[in-house]
Amino acid sequence: GHAEVLGRVRARLGTPIVNRIWRRLATVGRLEPVWDVLEPQAAATRERASALGSAAASAAAALPWEVAASAAALRAAGIADAAPGMAAILRAYALTLSRVLVLVAGCAEPAAQR
């Protein structure tokens, strides 16, 4: 069933979460056929995904934007203890997003070259 396939998605991508795209595919009955195509390539795309994630994090750190949930803002709000949990959630999403994007883009490359 869907739960088993979602478990394989998380395990093969090596991500702490399963993002919404997989759940949406499950609700429209497309999860299994899509994952059957993508799964064999999941392990091979991890290195590129890590490079993408690192590049995105570096670029984000260099941007001159205001951070509403900075360490100082959390301290001022009396919730500094929430920072590690928030950081863990953001890392989980960033890791998951980069791995899914690279996996899907990798599968689209041969079709685009036809």
Side-chain angles (χ1 to χ4, degrees):
H2 295 319
E4 184 268 331
V5 177
L6 291 172
R8 284 187 8 233
V9 168
R10 193 188 62 71
R12 298 289 187 274
L13 290 177
T15 59
I17 59 174
V18 175
N19 65 347
R20 186 176 179 172
I21 190 165
W22 307 114
R23 295 179 197 289
R24 179 68 181 139
L25 286 168
T27 64
V28 297
R30 300 295 301 148
L31 176 63
E32 287 83 357
V34 168
W35 187 243
D36 285 347
V37 171
L38 296 175
E39 184 175 21
Q41 298 159 67
T45 60
R46 280 195 192 181
E47 189 175 321
R48 285 191 331 224
S50 293
L52 174 65
S54 294
S58 294
L63 292 174
W65 54 14
E66 186 177 322
V67 178
S70 68
L74 293 174
R75 277 193 305 278
I79 55 171
D81 61 315
M86 291 170 66
I89 291 167
L90 290 173
R91 279 192 302 273
Y93 275 101
L95 173 69
T96 301
L97 181 59
S98 64
R99 291 198 176 167
V100 171
L101 288 175
V102 170
L103 175 63
V104 173
C107 287
E109 286 174 4
Q113 293 173 1
R114 286 184 212 154

